[in-house]
Amino acid sequence: LGDVAGCDALQRRVLEMRKSALGNAHEDTHRSAMDVYARRRMEAGNVAPDSSSYPLALAAMGEAMLACFEMLYEAALRPDGERGFALSKSLQAMSELVYMDMIYLLPCALWSRERTVELLLKAADTADRLPRTWPTQNT
C-alpha cells in the first residue's frame, strides 16, 4: 500500500511548514493536522491490540490527537471562537473525533497521571465553550 512511514513524514513536514508560515490558527494548518491525525488514527485501527506495535501506533495517534486538540483549544479560547463561530471546517470535523479518541486513549496510560488530569480539565473547559453537537430542537 505504499511507504506509510514516508507518507507520515511528508504530512508532518507539510504540517510544520504550514505552522511556521501560517500559524496554528489558519485553516490550512488545521487541514494538515487533520491529515496527520486521520492517517495515524487509521494506522492504529489497522494494528491488532495484542500486537507488539500497538502501543507505538496508539502513541503516534495520541500525539496527532493532542496536536489537533491544542488547535481546537486555542480556537475556543479566542474571543471570535466563542460558541464555535470562528472554527474552521477542519476543526469542526476533528472536534468530535478528538473527544471520542481522548476518551479511549486517556485510560491507556500514554501520558502521566498529571498530564491526563490536565487534559481532562482542558477538554472540559473547551467542550463548555463549543456548541453542542446534538440538535436542541426539531426543525
Side-chain angles (χ1 to χ4, degrees):
L1 295 175
D3 181 5
V4 173
C7 229
D8 186 66
L10 178 61
Q11 283 182 325
R12 283 185 293 116
R13 181 170 156 75
V14 169
L15 173 58
E16 289 308 314
M17 289 169 47
R18 285 186 168 164
K19 278 183 181 180
S20 178
L22 304 170
N24 265 1
H26 197 277
E27 164 72 17
D28 289 344
T29 306
H30 300 162
R31 193 174 315 112
S32 287
M34 190 62 188
D35 289 345
V36 172
Y37 178 35
R39 170 173 292 285
R40 289 180 173 190
R41 189 174 195 272
M42 181 186 69
E43 289 171 9
N46 288 334
V47 176
D50 59 350
S51 168
S52 62
S53 60
Y54 191 62
L56 294 174
L58 281 184
M61 178 184 154
E63 177 186 343
M65 184 216 55
L66 286 180
C68 289
F69 174 68
E70 288 300 327
M71 290 178 185
L72 185 61
Y73 178 71
E74 289 171 12
L77 287 179
R78 289 195 320 260
D80 61 341
E82 186 176 338
R83 308 298 338 140
F85 291 119
L87 294 185
S88 71
K89 290 178 185 171
S90 295
L91 283 179
Q92 291 173 29
M94 77 173 67
S95 64
E96 187 171 355
L97 280 179
V98 164
Y99 279 93
M100 288 172 38
D101 289 345
M102 190 177 286
I103 290 167
Y104 177 77
L105 292 173
L106 285 175
C108 293
L110 295 176
W111 304 286
S112 70
R113 184 177 187 90
E114 294 79 18
R115 178 71 171 137
T116 299
V117 170
E118 176 190 333
L119 286 171
L120 285 169
L121 291 172
K122 279 176 90 170
D125 182 50
T126 305
D128 192 46
R129 295 169 184 273
L130 298 176
R132 303 296 177 253
T133 56
W134 59 84
T136 56
Q137 60 183 348
N138 293 331
T139 55

Coordinates of all heavy atoms in Angstrom, one line a residue, residues 35-128:
D35 N -5.0 15.8 8.5 CA -4.4 14.7 7.6 C -3.5 13.8 8.4 O -3.6 12.6 8.3 CB -3.6 15.4 6.5 CG -4.5 16.1 5.5 OD1 -5.7 15.8 5.5 OD2 -3.9 16.9 4.7
V36 N -2.6 14.4 9.2 CA -1.7 13.6 10.1 C -2.5 12.7 11.0 O -2.3 11.5 11.2 CB -0.7 14.4 10.8 CG1 0.1 13.6 11.8 CG2 0.2 15.1 9.8
Y37 N -3.5 13.3 11.7 CA -4.3 12.6 12.7 C -5.1 11.5 12.0 O -5.1 10.4 12.5 CB -5.3 13.7 13.3 CG -6.2 13.2 14.3 CD1 -6.0 12.1 15.2 CD2 -7.5 13.8 14.4 CE1 -6.9 11.7 16.2 CE2 -8.4 13.4 15.4 CZ -8.1 12.3 16.2 OH -9.0 11.9 17.2
A38 N -5.7 11.8 10.9 CA -6.5 10.7 10.2 C -5.7 9.6 9.8 O -6.1 8.4 10.0 CB -7.3 11.3 9.0
R39 N -4.5 9.8 9.3 CA -3.6 8.7 8.9 C -3.2 7.9 10.1 O -3.2 6.7 10.0 CB -2.4 9.3 8.2 CG -1.3 8.2 7.9 CD -0.2 8.8 7.1 NE -0.6 9.1 5.7 CZ -0.8 8.2 4.8 NH1 -0.7 6.9 5.1 NH2 -1.2 8.5 3.6
R40 N -2.8 8.6 11.1 CA -2.3 7.8 12.3 C -3.4 7.1 13.0 O -3.3 6.0 13.5 CB -1.6 8.8 13.3 CG -0.3 9.2 12.8 CD 0.4 10.1 13.7 NE 1.8 10.4 13.3 CZ 2.7 11.0 14.0 NH1 2.3 11.4 15.2 NH2 3.9 11.3 13.5
R41 N -4.6 7.7 12.9 CA -5.8 7.0 13.5 C -6.1 5.7 12.7 O -6.4 4.7 13.3 CB -7.0 8.0 13.5 CG -8.2 7.6 14.2 CD -9.2 8.7 14.2 NE -10.3 8.5 15.1 CZ -11.4 7.8 14.9 NH1 -11.6 7.3 13.7 NH2 -12.3 7.6 15.8
M42 N -6.1 5.8 11.4 CA -6.3 4.7 10.6 C -5.3 3.6 10.8 O -5.6 2.4 10.9 CB -6.3 5.1 9.1 CG -6.6 4.0 8.1 SD -6.5 4.5 6.4 CE -4.7 4.7 6.3
E43 N -4.0 4.0 10.9 CA -2.9 3.0 11.1 C -3.1 2.3 12.5 O -2.9 1.1 12.6 CB -1.6 3.7 11.0 CG -1.2 4.1 9.6 CD 0.0 5.0 9.6 OE1 0.7 5.2 10.6 OE2 0.3 5.5 8.5
A44 N -3.5 3.1 13.5 CA -3.7 2.4 14.8 C -4.9 1.5 14.7 O -4.8 0.4 15.4 CB -4.0 3.5 15.9
G45 N -5.9 1.8 14.0 CA -7.0 0.9 13.8 C -6.7 -0.4 13.0 O -7.4 -1.4 13.2
N46 N -5.6 -0.3 12.3 CA -5.2 -1.5 11.5 C -4.3 -2.4 12.2 O -3.9 -3.5 11.7 CB -4.6 -1.0 10.2 CG -5.6 -0.5 9.2 OD1 -6.8 -0.8 9.2 ND2 -5.2 0.4 8.3
V47 N -3.9 -2.0 13.4 CA -2.9 -2.9 14.2 C -3.7 -3.6 15.2 O -4.6 -3.1 16.0 CB -1.9 -2.0 14.9 CG1 -1.0 -2.8 15.8 CG2 -1.1 -1.2 13.9
A48 N -3.5 -4.9 15.3 CA -4.1 -5.7 16.3 C -3.8 -5.3 17.7 O -2.6 -5.1 18.0 CB -3.8 -7.2 16.1
P49 N -4.7 -5.2 18.6 CA -4.4 -4.8 20.0 C -3.4 -5.6 20.7 O -2.7 -5.2 21.6 CB -5.8 -4.8 20.7 CG -6.8 -4.7 19.6 CD -6.2 -5.3 18.4
D50 N -3.3 -6.9 20.3 CA -2.3 -7.8 21.0 C -0.9 -7.7 20.3 O 0.0 -8.4 20.7 CB -2.8 -9.2 21.1 CG -3.2 -9.8 19.7 OD1 -3.2 -9.1 18.7 OD2 -3.4 -11.0 19.7
S51 N -0.8 -6.9 19.3 CA 0.5 -6.8 18.6 C 1.5 -6.0 19.4 O 1.1 -5.0 20.1 CB 0.2 -6.1 17.2 OG 1.4 -5.7 16.6
S52 N 2.8 -6.3 19.2 CA 3.8 -5.5 19.9 C 3.9 -4.1 19.4 O 4.4 -3.2 20.1 CB 5.1 -6.2 19.8 OG 5.5 -6.3 18.4
S53 N 3.4 -3.8 18.2 CA 3.5 -2.5 17.7 C 2.2 -1.6 18.0 O 2.2 -0.4 17.7 CB 3.6 -2.5 16.1 OG 2.5 -3.2 15.5
Y54 N 1.3 -2.2 18.7 CA 0.1 -1.5 19.1 C 0.3 -0.3 20.0 O -0.2 0.8 19.7 CB -1.0 -2.4 19.7 CG -2.3 -1.8 19.9 CD1 -3.1 -1.4 18.8 CD2 -2.9 -1.6 21.2 CE1 -4.4 -0.9 18.9 CE2 -4.2 -1.1 21.3 CZ -4.9 -0.7 20.2 OH -6.1 -0.2 20.4
P55 N 1.2 -0.4 21.0 CA 1.4 0.8 21.9 C 2.1 1.9 21.1 O 1.8 3.1 21.3 CB 2.4 0.2 22.9 CG 2.1 -1.2 23.0 CD 1.7 -1.6 21.6
L56 N 2.9 1.6 20.1 CA 3.6 2.6 19.3 C 2.5 3.3 18.4 O 2.6 4.5 18.2 CB 4.7 2.0 18.4 CG 5.9 1.5 19.2 CD1 6.9 0.8 18.3 CD2 6.6 2.7 19.9
A57 N 1.6 2.5 17.8 CA 0.6 3.1 17.0 C -0.3 4.0 17.8 O -0.7 5.1 17.3 CB -0.2 1.9 16.3
L58 N -0.7 3.5 19.0 CA -1.5 4.4 19.9 C -0.8 5.7 20.3 O -1.4 6.7 20.3 CB -1.9 3.6 21.1 CG -3.1 2.6 21.0 CD1 -3.4 2.1 22.4 CD2 -4.3 3.2 20.4
A59 N 0.5 5.6 20.6 CA 1.3 6.8 20.9 C 1.3 7.8 19.8 O 1.2 9.0 20.0 CB 2.7 6.4 21.4
A60 N 1.5 7.3 18.6 CA 1.5 8.1 17.4 C 0.2 8.8 17.2 O 0.1 10.0 16.9 CB 2.0 7.4 16.1
M61 N -0.9 8.0 17.3 CA -2.2 8.5 17.2 C -2.5 9.6 18.3 O -3.1 10.6 18.0 CB -3.2 7.4 17.3 CG -4.7 7.8 17.3 SD -5.7 6.4 17.5 CE -7.2 7.2 18.2
G62 N -2.0 9.3 19.5 CA -2.2 10.2 20.6 C -1.5 11.5 20.4 O -2.0 12.6 20.7
E63 N -0.3 11.5 19.9 CA 0.5 12.7 19.6 C -0.3 13.5 18.6 O -0.4 14.8 18.7 CB 1.8 12.3 19.0 CG 2.7 13.5 18.6 CD 4.0 13.0 17.9 OE1 4.4 11.9 18.1 OE2 4.6 13.9 17.3
A64 N -0.8 12.9 17.5 CA -1.6 13.7 16.5 C -2.9 14.2 17.1 O -3.3 15.3 16.7 CB -1.8 12.8 15.3
M65 N -3.5 13.4 17.9 CA -4.8 13.9 18.5 C -4.5 15.1 19.4 O -5.3 16.0 19.4 CB -5.4 12.7 19.4 CG -6.7 13.1 19.9 SD -7.1 12.5 21.6 CE -5.7 13.0 22.6
L66 N -3.4 15.1 20.2 CA -3.1 16.2 21.0 C -2.8 17.5 20.2 O -3.2 18.6 20.6 CB -1.9 15.9 21.9 CG -2.2 14.9 23.1 CD1 -0.9 14.7 23.9 CD2 -3.3 15.5 24.0
A67 N -2.2 17.3 19.1 CA -1.9 18.5 18.2 C -3.2 19.1 17.7 O -3.4 20.3 17.8 CB -1.0 18.1 17.0
C68 N -4.1 18.3 17.3 CA -5.5 18.7 16.9 C -6.2 19.3 18.1 O -6.9 20.4 18.0 CB -6.3 17.6 16.3 SG -5.6 17.1 14.7
F69 N -6.1 18.7 19.2 CA -6.8 19.2 20.4 C -6.3 20.6 20.8 O -7.1 21.5 21.1 CB -6.7 18.3 21.6 CG -7.3 18.8 22.8 CD1 -8.7 19.0 23.0 CD2 -6.5 19.2 23.9 CE1 -9.2 19.6 24.1 CE2 -7.1 19.8 25.0 CZ -8.4 20.0 25.1
E70 N -5.0 20.8 20.7 CA -4.4 22.1 21.1 C -4.9 23.2 20.2 O -5.2 24.3 20.6 CB -2.9 22.0 21.1 CG -2.3 21.3 22.2 CD -2.6 21.8 23.6 OE1 -2.8 23.1 23.8 OE2 -2.8 21.0 24.6
M71 N -5.1 22.9 18.9 CA -5.6 23.8 17.9 C -7.1 24.1 18.2 O -7.5 25.3 18.2 CB -5.5 23.3 16.5 CG -4.1 23.3 16.0 SD -4.0 22.6 14.3 CE -2.2 22.5 14.1
L72 N -7.8 23.1 18.6 CA -9.2 23.3 19.0 C -9.3 24.1 20.2 O -10.1 25.1 20.3 CB -9.9 21.9 19.2 CG -11.4 21.9 19.4 CD1 -12.2 22.4 18.3 CD2 -11.8 20.4 19.7
Y73 N -8.5 23.8 21.2 CA -8.5 24.6 22.5 C -8.2 26.0 22.2 O -8.8 26.9 22.7 CB -7.5 23.9 23.4 CG -7.3 24.6 24.7 CD1 -8.3 24.5 25.7 CD2 -6.1 25.3 25.0 CE1 -8.2 25.1 26.9 CE2 -6.0 25.9 26.3 CZ -7.0 25.8 27.2 OH -6.8 26.4 28.4
E74 N -7.1 26.3 21.4 CA -6.7 27.7 21.2 C -7.8 28.4 20.4 O -8.1 29.6 20.8 CB -5.4 27.7 20.3 CG -4.2 27.3 21.1 CD -3.0 27.1 20.1 OE1 -3.0 27.5 19.0 OE2 -2.0 26.5 20.6
A75 N -8.5 27.8 19.5 CA -9.6 28.4 18.8 C -10.8 28.7 19.7 O -11.4 29.8 19.6 CB -10.0 27.6 17.6
A76 N -11.1 27.8 20.6 CA -12.2 28.0 21.5 C -11.9 29.2 22.5 O -12.8 29.8 23.0 CB -12.5 26.7 22.3
L77 N -10.6 29.4 22.8 CA -10.3 30.5 23.7 C -10.3 31.9 23.1 O -10.5 32.8 23.8 CB -8.9 30.2 24.3 CG -8.7 29.1 25.3 CD1 -7.3 29.0 25.8 CD2 -9.6 29.3 26.5
R78 N -10.2 31.9 21.8 CA -10.2 33.2 21.1 C -11.5 33.9 21.3 O -12.6 33.2 21.2 CB -9.8 33.1 19.7 CG -8.4 32.8 19.4 CD -8.0 33.0 18.0 NE -9.0 32.6 17.0 CZ -9.0 31.4 16.3 NH1 -8.0 30.6 16.5 NH2 -9.9 31.2 15.4
P79 N -11.6 35.2 21.4 CA -12.9 35.9 21.5 C -13.8 35.6 20.3 O -15.0 35.4 20.5 CB -12.5 37.4 21.5 CG -11.1 37.4 22.0 CD -10.5 36.1 21.6
D80 N -13.2 35.5 19.1 CA -14.1 35.2 17.9 C -14.4 33.7 17.8 O -15.2 33.3 17.0 CB -13.4 35.7 16.7 CG -12.1 35.0 16.4 OD1 -11.5 34.4 17.3 OD2 -11.6 35.0 15.2
G81 N -13.8 32.9 18.7 CA -14.1 31.5 18.7 C -15.2 31.1 19.7 O -15.6 29.9 19.8
E82 N -15.7 32.1 20.4 CA -16.8 31.8 21.4 C -18.0 31.1 20.8 O -18.4 31.6 19.7 CB -17.2 33.1 22.1 CG -18.2 32.9 23.2 CD -18.5 34.2 23.9 OE1 -17.8 35.1 23.8 OE2 -19.6 34.2 24.6
R83 N -18.4 30.1 21.4 CA -19.5 29.2 20.9 C -19.2 28.6 19.5 O -20.1 28.2 18.8 CB -20.8 30.0 20.8 CG -21.2 30.8 22.1 CD -21.4 30.0 23.4 NE -21.8 28.6 23.4 CZ -21.4 27.8 24.3 NH1 -20.5 28.1 25.2 NH2 -21.8 26.5 24.3
G84 N -18.0 28.6 19.1 CA -17.6 27.9 17.9 C -17.8 28.6 16.6 O -17.6 28.1 15.5
F85 N -18.1 29.9 16.7 CA -18.4 30.6 15.5 C -17.2 30.8 14.5 O -17.4 30.9 13.3 CB -19.0 32.0 15.8 CG -20.3 32.0 16.4 CD1 -20.5 32.5 17.6 CD2 -21.4 31.4 15.7 CE1 -21.8 32.4 18.2 CE2 -22.6 31.3 16.3 CZ -22.8 31.8 17.6
A86 N -16.0 30.8 15.0 CA -14.8 31.0 14.2 C -14.0 29.7 13.9 O -12.9 29.8 13.4 CB -13.9 32.1 14.8
L87 N -14.6 28.6 14.2 CA -13.9 27.3 14.0 C -13.9 27.0 12.5 O -14.9 27.2 11.8 CB -14.6 26.2 14.7 CG -14.6 26.2 16.2 CD1 -15.2 24.9 16.7 CD2 -13.2 26.4 16.8
S88 N -12.7 26.6 12.0 CA -12.6 26.2 10.6 C -13.3 24.9 10.4 O -13.7 24.2 11.3 CB -11.1 26.0 10.3 OG -10.6 24.9 10.9
K89 N -13.6 24.6 9.1 CA -14.3 23.4 8.8 C -13.5 22.2 9.3 O -14.0 21.2 9.8 CB -14.5 23.3 7.3 CG -15.5 24.3 6.8 CD -15.7 24.2 5.3 CE -16.6 25.3 4.8 NZ -16.6 25.3 3.4
S90 N -12.1 22.3 9.2 CA -11.3 21.1 9.7 C -11.4 21.0 11.2 O -11.5 19.9 11.7 CB -9.9 21.4 9.3 OG -9.7 21.3 7.9
L91 N -11.5 22.1 12.0 CA -11.6 22.0 13.4 C -13.0 21.4 13.8 O -13.2 20.6 14.7 CB -11.4 23.3 14.1 CG -10.0 23.8 14.3 CD1 -10.0 25.2 14.9 CD2 -9.2 22.8 15.1
Q92 N -14.0 21.9 13.0 CA -15.4 21.3 13.3 C -15.4 19.8 13.0 O -16.0 19.1 13.8 CB -16.4 22.0 12.4 CG -16.6 23.5 12.7 CD -17.5 24.1 11.6 OE1 -18.3 23.5 11.0 NE2 -17.3 25.4 11.4
A93 N -14.7 19.4 12.0 CA -14.7 18.0 11.6 C -13.9 17.2 12.7 O -14.3 16.0 13.0 CB -14.1 17.8 10.2
M94 N -12.8 17.7 13.2 CA -12.0 16.9 14.0 C -12.5 16.9 15.5 O -12.1 16.1 16.3 CB -10.5 17.4 14.0 CG -10.3 18.7 14.8 SD -8.5 19.2 14.9 CE -8.1 19.6 13.2
S95 N -13.3 17.9 15.9 CA -13.7 18.0 17.3 C -14.3 16.8 17.9 O -13.9 16.3 18.9 CB -14.5 19.3 17.5 OG -15.8 19.2 16.9
E96 N -15.3 16.2 17.2 CA -15.9 15.0 17.7 C -15.0 13.9 17.8 O -14.9 13.1 18.8 CB -17.2 14.7 16.9 CG -18.0 13.6 17.5 CD -19.3 13.3 16.9 OE1 -19.7 14.1 15.9 OE2 -20.0 12.4 17.3
L97 N -14.2 13.7 16.8 CA -13.2 12.6 16.8 C -12.2 12.7 17.9 O -11.8 11.8 18.6 CB -12.4 12.5 15.4 CG -13.1 11.9 14.3 CD1 -12.2 11.9 13.0 CD2 -13.5 10.4 14.6
V98 N -11.7 14.0 18.1 CA -10.8 14.2 19.2 C -11.3 13.8 20.5 O -10.7 13.1 21.3 CB -10.3 15.7 19.2 CG1 -9.6 16.1 20.5 CG2 -9.4 16.0 18.0
Y99 N -12.6 14.2 20.8 CA -13.2 13.8 22.1 C -13.4 12.3 22.2 O -13.2 11.8 23.3 CB -14.4 14.6 22.3 CG -14.1 16.0 22.8 CD1 -14.0 17.1 22.0 CD2 -13.9 16.2 24.2 CE1 -13.6 18.3 22.5 CE2 -13.5 17.5 24.7 CZ -13.4 18.5 23.8 OH -13.0 19.8 24.3
M100 N -13.9 11.7 21.1 CA -14.1 10.2 21.2 C -12.8 9.5 21.4 O -12.7 8.6 22.2 CB -14.7 9.8 19.9 CG -16.2 10.2 19.8 SD -16.9 9.8 18.2 CE -16.3 8.3 17.7
D101 N -11.7 9.9 20.7 CA -10.4 9.3 20.9 C -9.8 9.6 22.2 O -9.1 8.7 22.8 CB -9.5 9.7 19.7 CG -9.9 9.1 18.4 OD1 -10.7 8.1 18.4 OD2 -9.4 9.5 17.4
M102 N -10.0 10.8 22.7 CA -9.5 11.1 24.0 C -10.0 10.2 25.1 O -9.3 9.7 26.0 CB -9.7 12.6 24.4 CG -9.0 13.1 25.6 SD -9.3 14.9 25.9 CE -8.3 15.6 24.6
I103 N -11.3 10.0 25.0 CA -12.0 9.1 26.0 C -11.4 7.7 25.9 O -11.2 7.0 26.9 CB -13.5 9.0 25.7 CG1 -14.1 10.4 26.1 CG2 -14.2 7.9 26.5 CD1 -15.6 10.5 25.6
Y104 N -11.0 7.3 24.7 CA -10.4 5.9 24.5 C -9.0 5.9 25.0 O -8.5 5.0 25.6 CB -10.5 5.5 23.0 CG -9.8 4.2 22.8 CD1 -10.5 3.0 23.1 CD2 -8.6 4.1 22.2 CE1 -9.9 1.8 22.9 CE2 -8.0 2.9 22.0 CZ -8.6 1.7 22.3 OH -8.0 0.5 22.1
L105 N -8.2 7.0 24.6 CA -6.8 7.0 24.9 C -6.4 7.3 26.3 O -5.3 6.8 26.8 CB -6.1 7.9 23.9 CG -6.1 7.5 22.5 CD1 -5.5 8.7 21.6 CD2 -5.3 6.2 22.2
L106 N -7.1 8.1 27.0 CA -6.7 8.5 28.4 C -6.5 7.3 29.3 O -5.5 7.3 30.0 CB -7.7 9.5 29.0 CG -7.6 10.9 28.4 CD1 -8.7 11.8 29.0 CD2 -6.2 11.6 28.6
P107 N -7.3 6.3 29.3 CA -7.1 5.2 30.2 C -5.9 4.3 29.7 O -5.5 3.4 30.5 CB -8.4 4.4 30.2 CG -9.4 5.3 29.6 CD -8.7 6.3 28.7
C108 N -5.4 4.5 28.5 CA -4.3 3.7 28.0 C -2.9 4.0 28.6 O -1.9 3.4 28.2 CB -4.2 3.8 26.5 SG -5.7 3.1 25.7
A109 N -2.9 5.0 29.5 CA -1.6 5.4 30.2 C -0.5 5.9 29.2 O 0.6 5.6 29.4 CB -1.1 4.3 31.1
L110 N -0.9 6.6 28.1 CA 0.1 7.2 27.2 C 0.8 8.4 27.9 O 1.9 8.7 27.5 CB -0.6 7.7 25.9 CG -1.2 6.6 25.0 CD1 -1.9 7.3 23.9 CD2 -0.2 5.6 24.6
W111 N 0.1 9.0 28.8 CA 0.6 10.2 29.5 C 0.6 10.0 31.0 O 0.0 9.1 31.5 CB -0.3 11.4 29.1 CG -0.4 11.6 27.6 CD1 0.6 12.1 26.8 CD2 -1.5 11.3 26.8 NE1 0.1 12.1 25.5 CE2 -1.2 11.6 25.5 CE3 -2.8 10.7 27.1 CZ2 -2.0 11.4 24.4 CZ3 -3.6 10.6 26.0 CH2 -3.3 10.9 24.7
S112 N 1.4 10.8 31.6 CA 1.5 10.7 33.1 C 0.1 11.0 33.7 O -0.8 11.6 33.0 CB 2.5 11.7 33.6 OG 2.0 13.1 33.5
R113 N -0.1 10.7 34.9 CA -1.3 11.0 35.6 C -1.6 12.5 35.7 O -2.7 12.9 35.4 CB -1.3 10.4 37.1 CG -2.5 10.6 37.8 CD -2.4 9.9 39.2 NE -3.6 9.9 39.9 CZ -4.5 8.9 39.9 NH1 -4.3 7.8 39.1 NH2 -5.6 9.0 40.6
E114 N -0.6 13.3 35.9 CA -0.7 14.7 36.0 C -1.1 15.3 34.6 O -2.0 16.1 34.5 CB 0.6 15.4 36.4 CG 1.0 15.1 37.8 CD 1.6 13.7 38.0 OE1 2.1 13.1 37.0 OE2 1.7 13.2 39.1
R115 N -0.5 14.8 33.5 CA -0.9 15.2 32.2 C -2.3 14.8 31.8 O -3.0 15.6 31.2 CB 0.1 14.7 31.1 CG -0.1 15.0 29.7 CD 0.1 16.5 29.5 NE 0.1 16.8 28.0 CZ -0.6 17.8 27.5 NH1 -1.1 18.7 28.3 NH2 -0.6 18.0 26.2
T116 N -2.7 13.6 32.2 CA -4.0 13.1 32.0 C -5.1 14.0 32.7 O -6.1 14.4 32.0 CB -4.2 11.7 32.5 OG1 -3.3 10.9 31.7 CG2 -5.6 11.2 32.3
V117 N -4.8 14.4 33.9 CA -5.7 15.3 34.6 C -5.8 16.7 33.9 O -6.9 17.2 33.7 CB -5.3 15.4 36.1 CG1 -6.1 16.6 36.8 CG2 -5.5 14.1 36.9
E118 N -4.6 17.2 33.5 CA -4.6 18.4 32.8 C -5.4 18.4 31.5 O -6.2 19.3 31.2 CB -3.1 18.8 32.5 CG -2.9 20.0 31.7 CD -1.5 20.2 31.2 OE1 -0.6 19.7 31.8 OE2 -1.4 20.8 30.1
L119 N -5.3 17.3 30.8 CA -6.0 17.1 29.5 C -7.5 17.1 29.8 O -8.3 17.7 29.0 CB -5.6 15.9 28.8 CG -4.2 16.0 28.1 CD1 -3.8 14.6 27.6 CD2 -4.3 17.0 26.9
L120 N -7.9 16.3 30.8 CA -9.3 16.3 31.2 C -9.9 17.6 31.5 O -11.0 18.0 31.1 CB -9.6 15.3 32.3 CG -9.4 13.8 32.0 CD1 -9.4 13.0 33.2 CD2 -10.6 13.4 31.0
L121 N -9.2 18.4 32.3 CA -9.6 19.8 32.6 C -9.7 20.7 31.4 O -10.7 21.4 31.2 CB -8.7 20.4 33.7 CG -8.8 19.7 35.1 CD1 -7.7 20.3 36.0 CD2 -10.1 19.9 35.7
K122 N -8.7 20.6 30.5 CA -8.7 21.4 29.3 C -9.8 21.0 28.4 O -10.5 21.8 27.7 CB -7.4 21.3 28.6 CG -6.3 22.2 29.1 CD -5.0 22.0 28.4 CE -4.8 22.9 27.2 NZ -3.5 22.8 26.6
A123 N -10.1 19.7 28.3 CA -11.1 19.1 27.5 C -12.5 19.6 27.9 O -13.4 20.0 27.1 CB -11.1 17.6 27.4
A124 N -12.7 19.6 29.3 CA -14.0 20.0 29.8 C -14.2 21.5 29.6 O -15.3 21.9 29.2 CB -14.0 19.7 31.3
D125 N -13.1 22.3 29.7 CA -13.2 23.7 29.5 C -13.5 24.0 28.0 O -14.4 24.9 27.7 CB -11.9 24.4 29.9 CG -11.9 25.9 29.7 OD1 -12.9 26.6 30.2 OD2 -11.0 26.5 29.1
T126 N -12.8 23.3 27.2 CA -13.0 23.5 25.7 C -14.4 23.1 25.3 O -15.1 23.8 24.6 CB -12.0 22.7 24.9 OG1 -10.7 23.1 25.3 CG2 -12.1 23.0 23.4
A127 N -14.9 22.0 25.8 CA -16.2 21.5 25.4 C -17.3 22.5 25.9 O -18.3 22.7 25.2 CB -16.5 20.1 26.1
D128 N -17.1 23.1 27.1 CA -18.0 24.0 27.6 C -18.1 25.3 26.7 O -19.1 25.9 26.7 CB -17.6 24.4 29.0 CG -18.7 25.2 29.7 OD1 -19.9 24.8 29.6 OD2 -18.4 26.2 30.3

